[in-house]
Each structure stands twice: as C-alpha cells, then as structure tokens.
Amino acid sequence: QVQLVESGGGLVQPGGSLRLSCAASGSIFRINAMGWYRQAPGKQRELVATITYYGSTKYADSVKGRFTISRDNAKNTVYLQMNSLKPEDTAVYFCNKDIQISSGVRSRPYWGQGTQVTVSS
C-alpha cells in the first residue's frame, strides 16, 4: 500500500526559511505529477506548487519568487523550499502525488497527512 509522509514543518520567524519534504513508499511503478497544497484555519485548501514528471513547475502567485518545488525520482520524494516566509504562509501543508502502482494501471492521487508551518515572531 502506498503511503506518503511529510516532514520539515515547524515554527519560524518572518523572513526565515523552511524545507518541506514528502517521501512515498510502498508499491510504486511511476509517480507522475507531484504538488503541495496548504490550508489555513477557516480557509479553503489552495494549491501552492506543482511539478510534472518532466520537471515543469507552476506556482501560486502568492509564493512566486519565494518558494521552489523540486523532485528526486530515485527517492520518490518531492520538496518545497520556502524562503522569505510571511505570516500569511501559516497553514497545514499537504503533499499530493499522482501514482501508478503498476504498468497499465491508471494513476490516482495520494495525499499525505499534512505538516504544520507557523510563521510568527
């Protein structure tokens, strides 16, 4: 069974940096797109960044120039480097991956449990 585990969240001061990681384990044939979402209390979940199998990336306007998404296929891991953090970035961050468990099987999304990021002085 495929499992996703996020790590790297925590408390950081405004202007600081954090690096989130999300590793997948289990029966995996191929991981297609990967992404990060976040949800603040009382707000809807929003897309932060995505990266395709071939490395094409997209970012929410609010994080462009500050966040960088990357992937390491050998480790089945996606990363989110967050710099110049602002209080508005405070949220639970969720990892999402489209995963094929075997050849010929349609990929489907898997989600991690989330990791808390708090930006405060």
Side-chain angles (χ1 to χ4, degrees):
Q1 194 68 222
V2 175
Q3 294 185 345
L4 274 59
V5 179
E6 301 104 331
S7 63
L11 175 64
V12 65
Q13 294 182 324
S17 299
L18 284 175
R19 188 185 191 224
L20 306 183
S21 64
C22 175
S25 62
S27 180
I28 299 172
F29 173 74
R30 168 176 165 144
I31 301 178
N32 295 322
M34 303 187 192
W36 289 94
Y37 291 73
R38 67 185 182 186
Q39 186 168 23
K43 297 183 179 180
Q44 291 185 302
R45 185 174 299 185
E46 65 174 344
L47 176 66
V48 176
T50 61
I51 183 167
T52 70
Y53 179 80
Y54 297 100
S56 179
T57 59
K58 291 184 178 180
Y59 298 91
D61 289 340
S62 60
V63 307
K64 287 181 179 178
R66 299 188 297 119
F67 291 10
T68 302
I69 187 171
S70 61
R71 64 189 288 166
D72 185 337
N73 291 335
K75 297 181 179 180
N76 291 328
T77 300
V78 63
Y79 305 93
L80 185 68
Q81 178 66 47
M82 304 184 293
N83 299 324
S84 301
L85 283 163
K86 305 175 181 179
E88 306 93 271
D89 296 317
T90 297
V92 176
Y93 284 70
F94 297 90
C95 172
N96 171 262
K97 300 183 179 182
D98 292 331
I99 300 176
Q100 292 179 258
I101 61 173
S102 65
S103 179
V105 177
R106 178 182 293 182
S107 66
R108 75 175 187 85
Y110 289 81
W111 291 87
Q113 294 300 311
T115 184
Q116 177 70 47
V117 172
T118 301
V119 184
S120 176
S121 60

